[in-house]
């Protein structure tokens, strides 16, 4: 089992806090494993007794009766028989209607409980949940495996090009690493995608037009990394499907974002130092899901590397935007604490024209923040203003 230390470090300081700890992430990204690792750590490193750890996974049939929130509340309270701290782990809690009533009640009525919950769907990110638990929770976003975690789990060499291409093609959902041939990997990824769509989107949001939803999803995946235009999507849908309203498109896209399949990235005006709310882009949370759903023959060539860099910046704790400066665009503006980095991504610097184009983007930015060009090249074209980094070195660098 891969110990996901990066997330444990983030959560550790809250082990005994009365704040509700919420782990949110796309299905099968490893949230349940992290809960288990927290429970194991409490027993081994903090001497917590087994009967003071209450673990419930709502995908297991033996807990079916606890999907009634009143039964769940009763079950947990009956297990708390002394004044020592109890650690409560509620996995896939969104399967319990009104679960927020339970965790709120336990937190308010008992002073010796520390509650951890996980969820995969829009309920966990909704304004509704934020209102119910306002000021009483802390949230941790759990992502699929980073490239470094993928290397640690599979025990392969990071600079092996075929290993990198495997990650770039099939993504970082941990369980997909159990399968070795393409057919098995695809079948597994299709099952994950179907469960997300059926459980987290169609069922919860009561969507009527599944085919339209699939077409919208398809369009977004085929245009990952491009400026999004609802008008262009409408024209595309009219050609091969039917007329659809802008409101419907955005409601379906919002559902995809809340199911954590895609992420919206806003533009940032470098000159005006402000976030722009128009012409945003979308990137996919896991490249394996994108691989089984896209129909764009250029997908691997123009967008994979950019998407990998975006996901890694999120993993490294940055707020990420698309940079805009006059008529120019920088792939990413990455902000963390008081630090800002400008990042351009290029597949390969094959010729002088490409080199000039990629480096020239930076010359109009005079504010002194660090500038990086991330590529697949082994050659280094860094100059005094811009540092070029090989993408694998970037992915393996904890200090970037």
């Amino acid at each position: 089992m891969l110990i996901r230390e990066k997330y444990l470090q983030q959560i550790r300081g809250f082990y005994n806090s009365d704040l509700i700890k919420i782990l949110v992430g796309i299905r099968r990204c490893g949230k349940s494993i992290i809960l288990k690792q927290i429970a194991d750590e409490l027993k081994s490193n903090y001497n917590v007794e087994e009967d003071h750890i209450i673990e419930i996974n709502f995908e297991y049939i033996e807990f079916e009766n606890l999907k009634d929130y009143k039964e769940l509340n009763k079950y947990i309270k009956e297990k708390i028989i002394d004044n020592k701290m109890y650690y409560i782990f509620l996995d896939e809690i969104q399967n319990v209607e009104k679960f927020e009533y339970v965790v709120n009640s336990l937190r308010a009525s008992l002073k010796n409980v520390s509650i951890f919950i996980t969820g995969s769907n829009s309920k966990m990110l909704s304004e509704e949940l934020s209102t119910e638990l306002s000021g009483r929770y802390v949230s941790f976003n759990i992502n699929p495996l980073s490239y470094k975690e993928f290397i640690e789990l599979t025990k392969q060499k990071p600079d092996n090009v075929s290993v990198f291409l495997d990650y770039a093609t099939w993504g970082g959902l941990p369980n997909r690493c159990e399968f070795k041939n393409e057919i098995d990997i695809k079948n597994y990824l299709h099952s994950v995608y179907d469960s997300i769509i059926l459980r987290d989107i169609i069922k919860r949001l009561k969507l009527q037009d599944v085919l339209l939803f699939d077409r919208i999803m398809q369009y977004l995946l085929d245009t990952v990394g491009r400026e999004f235009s609802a008008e262009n999507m409408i024209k595309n849908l009219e050609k091969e499907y039917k007329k659809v309203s802008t409101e419907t498109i955005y409601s379906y896209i919002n559902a995809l974002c809340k199911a954590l399949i895609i992420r919206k990235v806003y533009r940032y005006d470098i000159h005006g130092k402000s976030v722009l709310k128009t012409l945003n882009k979308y990137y996919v949370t896991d490249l394996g899901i994108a691989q089984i759903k896209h129909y764009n023959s250029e997908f691997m060539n123009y967008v994979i590397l950019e998407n990998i860099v975006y996901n890694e910046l999120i993993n490294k704790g940055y707020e990420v935007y698309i940079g805009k400066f006059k008529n120019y665009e920088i792939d990413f503006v990455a902000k963390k604490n008081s630090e800002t980095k400008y990042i351009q991504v290029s597949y390969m610097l094959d010729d002088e024209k490409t080199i000039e184009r990629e480096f020239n983007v930076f010359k109009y930015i005079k504010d002194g923040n660090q500038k990086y060009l991330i590529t697949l090249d082994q050659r280094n074209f860094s100059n005094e203003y811009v540092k070029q980094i090989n993408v694998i070195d970037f992915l393996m660098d904890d200090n970037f």
Side-chain angles (χ1 to χ4, degrees):
M1 184 190 297
L2 173 70
I3 303 298
R4 302 194 74 179
E5 179 60 26
K6 175 180 67 175
Y7 296 110
L8 293 177
Q9 283 182 358
Q10 294 173 19
I11 302 167
R12 216 169 260 136
F14 295 89
Y15 279 3
N16 291 312
S17 170
D18 66 346
L19 293 174
I20 298 158
K21 280 69 68 177
I22 305 178
L23 279 62
V24 181
I26 191 173
R27 281 188 180 272
R28 304 295 173 246
C29 71
K31 302 182 299 298
S32 300
I33 292 295
I34 293 173
L35 280 194
K36 177 173 173 49
Q37 290 174 359
I38 293 170
D40 289 345
E41 190 170 281
L42 287 169
K43 286 182 276 190
S44 61
N45 295 355
Y46 295 81
N47 299 317
V48 176
E49 297 165 345
E50 186 84 40
D51 60 358
H52 282 65
I53 293 178
I54 303 169
E55 298 178 87
I56 303 170
N57 187 325
F58 292 99
E59 292 195 326
Y60 293 174
I61 195 167
E62 54 262 43
F63 298 118
E64 184 73 24
N65 64 310
L66 299 184
K67 289 182 180 179
D68 179 297
Y69 75 101
K70 292 181 179 178
E71 288 297 318
L72 174 61
N73 188 67
K74 178 183 176 184
Y75 174 85
I76 293 172
K77 283 198 166 183
E78 285 177 351
K79 287 187 170 292
I80 298 173
I81 58 175
D82 59 39
N83 292 324
K84 292 182 181 179
M85 183 67 80
Y86 283 79
Y87 300 86
I88 303 168
F89 297 88
L90 306 174
D91 200 3
E92 298 296 345
I93 188 67
Q94 78 278 351
N95 291 316
V96 178
E97 194 71 28
K98 298 183 180 179
F99 72 82
E100 60 272 25
Y101 292 4
V102 178
V103 294
N104 249 341
S105 176
L106 290 171
R107 180 187 174 278
S109 63
L110 300 171
K111 303 303 179 185
N112 61 329
V113 295
S114 179
I115 303 170
F116 302 77
I117 65 177
T118 77
S120 308
N121 71 0
S122 56
K123 173 74 171 180
M124 307 304 293
L125 299 175
S126 68
E127 292 178 3
E128 176 187 349
L129 180 61
S130 297
T131 300
E132 293 293 339
L133 303 181
S134 179
R136 298 185 289 271
Y137 73 94
V138 57
S139 181
F140 303 93
N141 293 320
I142 310 300
N143 300 310
L145 299 175
S146 67
Y147 184 63
K148 187 170 184 179
E149 288 178 317
F150 174 75
I151 292 299
E152 290 173 1
L153 180 62
T154 60
K155 296 179 171 55
Q156 300 182 90
K157 294 183 178 180
D159 55 354
N160 185 319
V161 174
S162 64
V163 174
F164 175 75
L165 290 177
D166 177 54
Y167 177 79
T169 304
W170 302 117
L173 294 182
N175 288 119
R176 79 88 174 164
C177 299
E178 299 174 11
F179 308 105
K180 303 305 177 187
N181 69 70
E182 186 174 308
I183 293 175
D184 291 342
I185 294 172
K186 282 184 175 180
N187 285 339
Y188 170 72
L189 292 172
H190 274 293
S191 72
V192 174
Y193 174 78
D194 290 344
S195 71
I196 293 170
I197 298 306
L198 292 173
R199 297 188 195 180
D200 297 344
I201 298 179
I202 293 173
K203 183 179 178 181
R204 172 162 171 76
L205 300 179
K206 298 181 175 62
L207 300 182
Q208 300 299 315
D209 196 334
V210 178
L211 181 58
L212 174 60
F213 177 84
D214 199 58
R215 293 291 178 90
I216 291 174
M217 170 72 176
Q218 196 68 65
Y219 181 88
L220 285 174
L221 289 178
D222 288 344
T223 57
V224 160
R226 298 179 186 173
E227 285 185 348
F228 174 74
S229 166
E231 183 181 344
N232 287 344
M233 178 181 278
I234 289 170
K235 289 178 181 177
N236 183 276
L237 290 170
E238 284 179 352
K239 286 179 185 177
E240 56 182 64
Y241 187 57
K242 67 177 183 181
K243 189 174 180 63
V244 60
S245 70
T246 302
E247 183 181 359
T248 298
I249 284 175
Y250 279 112
S251 69
Y252 280 37
I253 291 174
N254 189 46
L256 283 165
C257 289
K258 286 188 173 182
L260 308 171
I261 295 178
I262 59 173
R263 291 186 176 112
K264 179 189 289 188
V265 188
Y266 291 106
R267 295 188 304 154
Y268 181 81
D269 181 355
I270 295 172
H271 179 72
K273 307 295 183 186
S274 61
V275 177
L276 307 172
K277 297 297 185 180
T278 60
L279 297 176
N280 48 274
K281 295 184 179 183
Y282 293 94
Y283 289 95
V284 65
T285 301
D286 182 74
L287 289 164
I289 298 294
Q291 188 62 230
I292 62 168
K293 295 301 295 182
H294 79 85
Y295 293 128
N296 189 336
S297 60
E298 297 180 349
F299 186 78
M300 280 295 291
N301 294 331
Y302 84 90
V303 77
I304 286 286
L305 201 67
E306 199 173 298
N307 207 135
I308 287 174
V309 170
Y310 169 76
N311 286 345
E312 182 61 21
L313 288 169
I314 295 296
N315 278 327
K316 292 182 187 303
Y318 287 94
E319 292 179 26
V320 185
Y321 305 93
I322 310 301
K324 285 290 184 181
F325 188 84
K326 297 182 179 178
N327 295 325
Y328 298 93
E329 179 178 291
I330 295 289
D331 287 328
F332 301 119
V333 177
K335 292 177 167 288
K336 183 164 62 175
N337 302 325
S338 59
E339 182 179 47
T340 298
K341 294 177 179 179
Y342 300 120
I343 298 163
Q344 188 73 358
V345 183
S346 181
Y347 195 72
M348 296 287 284
L349 302 178
D350 293 323
D351 50 49
E352 288 299 323
K353 185 177 180 181
T354 305
I355 294 170
E356 183 179 359
R357 181 185 70 241
E358 298 296 345
F359 277 91
N360 278 354
V361 173
F362 294 103
K363 71 180 183 181
Y364 302 99
I365 304 173
K366 310 291 186 182
D367 61 13
N369 288 312
Q370 294 173 297
K371 304 173 180 68
Y372 296 90
L373 177 59
I374 299 176
T375 76
L376 273 172
D377 289 277
Q378 294 298 326
R379 296 175 298 169
N380 194 325
F381 296 94
S382 298
N383 59 36
E384 60 181 310
Y385 305 108
V386 181
K387 182 176 182 180
Q388 183 192 347
I389 305 176
N390 174 269
V391 66
I392 294 176
D393 292 337
F394 161 72
L395 293 172
M396 297 299 292
D397 184 1
D398 288 332
N399 297 316
F400 183 89

